[in-house]
Amino acid sequence: MDLGFPWWLRVEHFLNIIFISFLVRSGIEILGTYPKLYRSQHNVSGTSWAQFTIQEQPKHKYYTVGGEYDDYSPRISMPGRGLLGLGRYWHFITVTGFVASWVIYFVLLIATGQWRRYVPTSLDVFVQAGNDMLSYLAFQVPEPVAGAAFNSIQQLTYGAVILLLTPLVIITGAFQSPAIANYFSRITRAVGGRQVIRSIHFFCLIGYVAFFVVHVIMVVIHGYMHETAKMVFGNSDRPLAGGLMFSLGLVFVVILHVVATTWTLKDGRAVERLANVVVRPWSNLLYKLPARMHYERSNVSGEDRGLANTTHNFRGSGRPPEADEYLAMMANGYEDDYVLEIGGYVERPMTLTLQDLRDLADGHSQTTLHHCVQGFTSIGKWRGIAVSDLLDLAVPLPGATDVVYTSFQDMGRDDALYEGGMYYESNPMVEARMPQTLIAFELNDDGEIPAKNGAPVRLRVETSTGFRSLKWLERIEVVNRYDIVGEGRGGYFEDADFYDRNQLI
């Protein structure tokens, strides 16, 4: 069988140069906004095994996760400047093409028999690979395997990248999704937790970069014009023309990166619209995966170290409100002053005190994994009442589509890292009615929720990234249009930054 270079293989080769380079650069942007890697779900300050920043964070002082951003240069990351939302958009746009390309490639390998170019049919290939390595060390180019386009060490390397590394990067990338990681929480726990998965995903990035560097060196050693002609024409009969055309293709890839990065920094909303067209159709399917976590009280952050007060170890993010109304409630212990309003497009508007919420919850709790959009995680046991139960009490009117949550927090007043504006979030009704979308009033059996974690009442949206689990909840309003609230994108960070309301990934 001819194991040469059919046209579809050559097209896939060029597309993957684009896809992998975009994935690496946007992946660096994502890493830069939480530039630390951990072995545990419990991201205690000072315990990371790797750090890609020169910033030093205090171990015994409260600081927000936003303070850990590191602005990498647009020459390295995509788009650079700490724009996590836009980096995520490019990552997921590229993932869509990369996964589709790999699936098509895999099917064609099987259907055409070209899988033999990567899968050895004899154990002798491993012995020959060792001999090939000795040849390279002696500055000699090994001969290809009989009937194949590669020598043994190339066959094993390409096979490992295409058939092992690529599925691994796809799977570990998928498990960065809150919806997937929480739906398959037993698998998440079995492999060591989301932070271990995140570290494996990082090693996949290193693997691609290392392969690229070595691959380029090998192409040069084997003869640049000769080898690149195979990727252009399928043979090496016209090495000069092939080498020039391939080089022009690489220049095109560089130009594509420059144009995409410049365009993104100039018009982020246009990239957002592109992402909504490419990514939303498949990411919306994740609404069919309601959270079904299997975490226990012993998994709670802090329990692993036998701490008496485990709420101290549930990572906070954001600054508590400084509004006079909120500070007065805090001073009085919340109990007699706090009232949750539920209204809007409902038959039965109502107000509920903390005791009302406790009575309605009837002891209900859930132990869940928090997924910060930047990458940190914490596990906590939340006591509260499902939003769906509150909606059943309030009875949404026909045509109600969304639930809007308003916080006591004003970002500019309360957190100097951000511009001013009321903090709010919203759920489409399908997300609001998921069984683990919760209005919580207690954390880890330690009594009330601490101020840094959203006291006295907060939202928990377990299939989504953390910033959508609004803290310091003031009001719930059922609406028939979320796009007329705020700037119309569904939440504070959706309005002020570049985040999609669909944060299932």
Side-chain angles (χ1 to χ4, degrees):
M1 178 181 184
D2 179 18
L3 296 178
F5 301 92
W7 69 267
W8 52 267
L9 186 146
R10 305 197 304 270
V11 170
E12 291 267 1
H13 183 269
F14 185 72
L15 288 176
N16 279 326
I17 294 174
I18 298 173
F19 291 145
I20 293 175
S21 59
F22 269 63
L23 283 173
V24 167
R25 290 188 64 227
S26 59
I28 292 172
E29 179 73 13
I30 294 169
L31 177 65
T33 51
Y34 192 60
K36 301 172 184 178
L37 296 172
Y38 293 84
R39 300 181 183 89
S40 167
Q41 302 279 27
H42 320 302
N43 302 168
V44 179
S45 178
T47 64
S48 60
W49 70 263
Q51 180 170 307
F52 306 95
T53 177
I54 60 173
Q55 297 185 61
E56 291 293 335
Q57 300 294 350
K59 294 183 180 180
H60 305 293
K61 181 179 178 182
Y62 174 70
Y63 58 94
T64 65
V65 70
E68 296 186 71
Y69 267 56
D70 209 326
D71 294 352
Y72 294 162
S73 168
R75 293 183 179 89
I76 300 172
S77 61
M78 184 174 188
R81 301 180 185 171
L83 295 171
L84 173 59
L86 292 174
R88 283 167 55 87
Y89 281 146
W90 274 118
H91 207 66
F92 301 145
I93 290 169
T94 309
V95 161
T96 306
F98 178 70
V99 173
S101 176
W102 181 82
V103 169
I104 293 170
Y105 187 67
F106 185 81
V107 170
L108 288 172
L109 285 177
I110 300 300
T112 63
Q114 289 283 338
W115 59 269
R116 294 180 178 85
R117 68 191 302 118
Y118 303 126
V119 180
T121 56
S122 170
L123 294 178
D124 293 341
V125 71
F126 294 97
V127 175
Q128 186 58 46
N131 295 330
D132 291 345
M133 179 60 72
L134 292 175
S135 296
Y136 281 124
L137 293 174
F139 300 101
Q140 296 176 353
V141 177
E143 293 296 322
V145 176
F150 312 129
N151 60 50
S152 294
I153 198 167
Q154 288 175 312
Q155 181 185 38
L156 292 176
T157 302
Y158 297 158
V161 170
I162 293 167
L163 302 177
L164 298 178
L165 180 60
T166 297
L168 182 62
V169 80
I170 291 171
I171 292 169
T172 55
F175 271 80
Q176 304 301 302
S177 156
I180 292 175
N182 290 339
Y183 186 76
F184 298 105
S185 61
R186 292 189 188 277
I187 297 176
T188 303
R189 289 176 58 191
V191 297
R194 187 175 182 271
Q195 292 302 325
V196 171
I197 294 171
R198 184 169 174 256
S199 293
I200 295 172
H201 198 63
F202 169 77
F203 282 122
C204 290
L205 181 151
I206 297 299
Y208 277 114
V209 173
F211 170 77
F212 174 78
V213 171
V214 174
H215 184 56
V216 169
I217 293 172
M218 289 295 102
V219 168
V220 173
I221 290 174
H222 282 252
Y224 179 79
M225 298 293 189
H226 181 273
E227 294 300 313
T228 54
K230 296 177 183 177
M231 286 296 103
V232 175
F233 300 120
N235 56 65
S236 56
D237 296 342
R238 291 170 286 174
L240 181 60
L244 289 175
M245 290 180 66
F246 191 84
S247 298
L248 288 174
L250 294 180
V251 171
F252 170 76
V253 173
V254 173
I255 293 173
L256 196 62
H257 276 272
V258 172
V259 170
T261 303
T262 304
W263 175 52
T264 305
L265 293 173
K266 182 179 180 180
D267 190 359
R269 293 300 175 196
V271 177
E272 182 177 74
R273 290 191 291 271
L274 175 62
N276 288 341
V277 171
V278 175
V279 179
R280 266 192 182 176
W282 62 264
S283 64
N284 280 340
L285 296 176
L286 297 178
Y287 281 123
K288 299 182 182 295
L289 299 179
R292 55 175 190 181
M293 299 182 192
H294 298 281
Y295 294 97
E296 301 170 357
R297 184 65 174 84
S298 59
N299 302 129
V300 165
S301 299
E303 286 282 355
D304 59 325
R305 293 184 293 149
L307 297 181
N309 185 350
T310 52
T311 60
H312 176 74
N313 271 280
F314 193 94
R315 178 72 184 271
S317 178
R319 301 285 182 184
E322 296 183 8
D324 292 341
E325 179 185 5
Y326 180 81
L327 293 175
M329 283 194 299
M330 180 188 290
N332 292 331
Y334 305 110
E335 189 70 34
D336 296 328
D337 299 332
Y338 179 79
V339 175
L340 173 63
E341 299 179 16
I342 303 175
Y345 214 59
V346 296
E347 288 184 11
R348 301 173 186 166
M350 61 183 66
T351 57
L352 299 171
T353 65
L354 280 171
Q355 189 57 50
D356 291 334
L357 290 172
R358 292 190 192 101
D359 292 341
L360 290 169
D362 193 26
H364 174 72
S365 66
Q366 60 191 37
T367 303
T368 55
L369 176 65
H370 179 88
H371 293 257
C372 175
V373 69
Q374 288 176 241
F376 86 77
T377 52
S378 285
I379 298 175
K381 179 181 179 182
W382 303 95
R383 185 180 172 205
I385 179 171
V387 171
S388 60
D389 291 341
L390 291 178
L391 292 175
D392 289 341
L393 291 173
V395 188
L397 293 169
T401 59
D402 297 85
V403 182
V404 177
Y405 311 87
T406 306
S407 173
F408 286 103
Q409 186 183 40
D410 182 284
M411 294 298 284
R413 178 195 64 205
D414 302 326
D415 197 328
L417 291 174
Y418 304 101
E419 296 181 358
M422 170 190 70
Y423 197 98
Y424 78 100
E425 263 304 330
S426 65
N427 298 134
M429 197 61 73
V430 64
E431 187 176 50
R433 284 196 172 276
M434 286 182 174
Q436 289 186 322
T437 301
L438 191 77
I439 300 301
F441 50 79
E442 184 178 298
L443 174 59
N444 294 344
D445 299 324
D446 292 325
E448 66 185 32
I449 298 172
K452 71 181 179 71
N453 297 118
V457 174
R458 66 170 295 167
L459 173 68
R460 294 298 309 167
V461 185
E462 306 301 355
T463 55
S464 190
T465 53
F467 73 83
R468 297 190 65 244
S469 289
L470 175 143
K471 297 183 285 293
W472 309 294
L473 177 64
E474 178 181 19
R475 177 177 171 81
I476 299 175
E477 187 164 0
V478 178
V479 299
N480 63 346
R481 287 185 62 183
Y482 77 89
D483 59 341
I484 59 175
V485 181
E487 296 295 324
R489 296 186 177 91
Y492 173 83
F493 278 113
E494 293 90 331
D495 290 344
D497 211 325
F498 298 98
Y499 293 98
D500 188 5
R501 187 169 74 134
N502 179 335
Q503 288 288 314
L504 301 170
I505 53 177

